[in-house]
Amino acid sequence: MSRWTNILKATFGKSETRTRSQVDPYWGFANGYGFNSAVSADTVSGIAAWWRGTQVLSNILAGLPKHLIKMDSEDREAVYDLPSVALITDMANDNLDSYAWHDYIVQSVLNYGNGYSLIHRDENANPIALSL
């Protein structure tokens, strides 16, 4: 027998190797979920650090200045006269300001992988509101 086989036999009572999660019950466990369990929004929903981290990131990103940029070949230019600028910078709709909308969208991206809004348009196809 090799030296490692003797050490394993003495430690675990068997000569076979075990995974880290079998040896240490706290390795890889988060909120009672096992080492091999899938990570999803449901499995991390009970972890306070996850939710606080997503709140901090979404608050920081929502508070940053927003600009609509037009790119012509290699030039970039800020655009201020389009109807969509007000939705991005001021109010997404009558009940939701731009900060709250960006905060929700970033949290959706972090927790679920994507964030969607329905774009409401007037009769000329100009955007007038974003709803969640």
Side-chain angles (χ1 to χ4, degrees):
M1 268 192 229
S2 73
R3 180 176 178 217
W4 291 109
T5 305
N6 288 334
I7 292 172
L8 286 172
K9 216 176 207 187
T11 306
F12 303 114
K14 294 182 180 178
S15 61
E16 62 193 42
T17 60
R18 295 182 184 188
T19 62
R20 178 86 188 249
S21 63
Q22 291 172 325
V23 176
D24 184 1
Y26 299 105
W27 176 260
F29 277 68
N31 197 23
Y33 293 96
F35 180 72
N36 294 324
S37 65
V39 176
S40 68
D42 295 331
T43 60
V44 298
S45 64
I47 302 173
W50 172 264
W51 284 110
R52 183 61 185 143
T54 58
Q55 284 178 346
V56 167
L57 285 173
S58 65
N59 289 339
I60 288 171
L61 293 174
L64 292 174
K66 309 294 187 291
H67 301 285
L68 188 61
I69 304 293
K70 178 182 176 184
M71 292 189 64
D72 291 326
S73 65
E74 295 181 14
D75 296 331
R76 287 185 237 173
E77 175 186 349
V79 179
Y80 300 103
D81 57 348
L82 292 177
S84 56
V85 173
L87 298 178
I88 294 170
T89 60
D90 298 328
M91 295 288 286
N93 58 41
D94 292 337
N95 301 320
L96 201 61
D97 65 350
S98 174
Y99 180 89
W101 180 82
H102 280 97
D103 186 48
Y104 180 82
I105 291 296
V106 172
Q107 280 194 12
S108 294
V109 168
L110 293 172
N111 291 320
Y112 304 107
N114 52 34
Y116 297 104
S117 283
L118 179 64
I119 303 172
H120 299 276
R121 298 181 182 270
D122 64 6
E123 59 277 351
N124 296 324
N126 294 321
I128 56 172
L130 299 171
S131 63
L132 300 175

